Amino acid sequence: AAGIALLDLYENGTITRAISFHSSIARAENFQRQQQLINASIPVKTEVFCSHIKGTSSASERTDLINAFIQKAPSLLTNARSRGLVSV
């Protein structure tokens, strides 16, 4: 339901970009895949760029994803919130 509602917001011009945060990496990746399936199944004016940003990706990979998210509209970027300690 959230994926279809998101697509509707893109289609009616309410939003052009969205970042979704999830309780786990698996849920974030599943939402990205779900959105890609919805986009492929429902006729839309413009294809939505969907990607998942991983904390394990290199800084340059994350930068590339964020730049693509900014440059392409409509776009969706999924991520998982960290609940544990972050080692630096």
Side-chain angles (χ1 to χ4, degrees), residues 53-68 77:
I53 194 161
K54 299 177 184 179
T56 58
S57 299
S58 70
S60 65
E61 289 172 324
R62 289 187 299 233
T63 299
D64 290 345
L65 281 175
I66 291 170
N67 285 335
L77 192 59

Side-chain angles (χ1 to χ4, degrees), residues 33 52 88:
R33 283 191 294 274
H52 171 71
V88 179

Side-chain angles (χ1 to χ4, degrees), residues 1-5 7 33-44:
I4 292 172
L7 185 60
R33 283 191 294 274
Q34 170 191 297
Q35 198 63 34
Q36 289 172 321
L37 289 171
I38 290 170
N39 294 341
S41 302
I42 299 174
V44 292

Side-chain angles (χ1 to χ4, degrees), residues 8 12-13 30 38 53 55 60-61 64 79 81 83:
D8 186 49
N12 69 28
N30 285 340
I38 290 170
I53 194 161
S60 65
E61 289 172 324
D64 290 345
N79 197 350
R81 290 187 174 151
R83 292 186 174 191

